[in-house]
Amino acid sequence: MPFITTKDKTEIFYKDWGNLAGKPVVFSHGWPLNSDNWENQMFFLASKGYRCIAHDRRGHGQYLDLKDVMMVGHSTGGGEVIRFLGRHGTSRVSRAVIVGAIPPVMVLKESNPKGLPIEVFDGFRTAMVKDRAQFFLDVPIGPFFGFNRPGAKISQGLIQSWWQQGMMCGFKGAYDCIKVFSETDMTEDLKKIDIPVLILHGTDDQIVPIDASAREGIRLLQKGTLKEYPDGPHALPNICIEEVNQDLLTFLES
């Protein structure tokens, strides 16, 4: 299996699917999951001739020498994409897509009146310490996939997959990441990005509410496009597979 070794000797696992000579698409997963959560999109785009690469974030499970990349991030992974571009620029990246993503910032504060109270994230931490295994069932059974909504078509397979991926994440990494994804402010990062950025977000996202994220972030991007999925949940790549796949392909080919 392929790994990249970082400067501090950490080994980062990654998947590399599709045409090695094709245009690269780099995927960044959400919390507390891993690269497996992108398998539907990677399989689809690889079948279209693209090179699809997804890594397991440090603690969850450097990119290769790539150029003309399209970066794709979901949830916390969307924040990872935005922070990367804000820090390192866009010389190697041609476009980016963030899906149900956390930027600009999630937590409620004076400069972010639409954010979620810190007590929400304190509740995550308390639930993890009390019984992580049960908490990691409660999240996918309920708000992550929107399975708590009336009439939702519940998939036990998705619930079990989320739980399995989450339990593979190191406890400390998962716990510490709650502070990172809730409190990191990427306002200035968004302003710096000078490439086209597509934002996909569900209007019924119960994890990252759209008003404080996508609808704020689009105002900060130089070349941003926002597509809202009516009544869409947080887990768009898992629930709205065909539509997300087509949106990614159309953006790649535009």
Side-chain angles (χ1 to χ4, degrees):
M1 295 186 293
F3 289 86
I4 292 174
T5 302
T6 63
K7 292 180 180 179
D8 63 359
K9 307 303 180 182
T10 300
E11 290 190 332
I12 304 294
F13 170 76
Y14 68 95
K15 298 176 180 179
D16 194 343
W17 293 1
N19 180 6
L20 293 180
K23 184 174 181 177
V25 184
V26 174
F27 293 87
S28 182
H29 62 82
W31 175 91
L33 308 176
N34 58 46
S35 55
D36 289 350
N37 205 50
W38 282 115
E39 60 187 16
N40 290 308
Q41 286 68 45
M42 292 180 69
F43 181 80
F44 174 77
L45 292 179
S47 71
K48 300 294 184 181
Y50 293 94
R51 181 181 181 183
C52 297
I53 300 162
H55 67 288
D56 287 352
R57 184 177 301 109
R58 183 187 294 254
H60 286 63
Q62 313 204 25
Y63 295 127
L64 302 174
D65 186 19
L66 304 173
K67 298 178 180 178
D68 193 27
V69 174
M70 183 171 92
M71 298 184 73
V72 184
H74 173 241
S75 195
T76 300
E80 186 174 54
V81 168
I82 296 302
R83 178 48 60 93
F84 177 90
L85 295 174
R87 281 184 173 178
H88 303 292
T90 58
S91 61
R92 289 176 174 262
V93 184
S94 60
R95 59 193 60 222
V97 184
I98 56 175
V99 187
I102 59 176
V105 60
M106 288 191 71
V107 74
L108 174 69
K109 55 183 180 177
E110 186 175 350
S111 60
N112 187 41
K114 297 178 181 178
L116 295 172
I118 189 66
E119 288 79 11
V120 172
F121 306 106
D122 288 341
F124 289 179
R125 284 181 274 261
T126 299
M128 272 200 66
V129 171
K130 181 179 180 181
D131 189 344
R132 176 168 74 136
Q134 183 60 51
F135 178 50
F136 280 8
L137 279 176
D138 294 340
V139 174
I141 287 172
F144 193 88
F145 297 107
F147 290 159
N148 57 342
R149 294 307 197 203
K153 184 178 180 180
I154 297 172
S155 167
Q156 290 298 324
L158 283 177
I159 292 169
Q160 292 172 22
S161 177
W162 199 101
W163 184 87
Q164 180 184 43
Q165 291 178 58
M167 294 303 291
M168 289 174 66
C169 181
F171 188 97
K172 180 171 172 52
Y175 184 92
D176 291 347
C177 195
I178 296 171
K179 180 177 179 64
V180 174
F181 73 64
S182 63
E183 299 181 34
T184 302
D185 192 330
M186 287 161 277
T187 298
E188 297 305 315
D189 297 299
L190 286 162
K191 292 177 181 179
K192 293 177 184 177
I193 299 171
D194 58 0
I195 57 172
V197 178
L198 174 64
I199 301 176
L200 306 179
H201 214 107
T203 62
D204 191 33
D205 190 325
Q206 300 173 68
I207 303 294
V208 184
I210 190 171
D211 282 340
S213 53
R215 290 174 180 165
E216 290 296 316
I218 190 64
R219 301 175 186 177
L220 301 170
L221 289 165
Q222 299 176 37
K223 300 178 181 178
T225 301
L226 170 60
K227 178 179 178 180
E228 298 185 4
Y229 282 55
D231 299 320
H234 183 60
L236 294 180
N238 310 104
I239 299 298
C240 305
I241 296 172
E242 292 184 4
E243 190 172 358
V244 170
N245 287 352
Q246 191 57 53
D247 285 339
L248 292 178
L249 181 61
T250 298
F251 191 58
L252 264 172
E253 296 180 341
S254 63

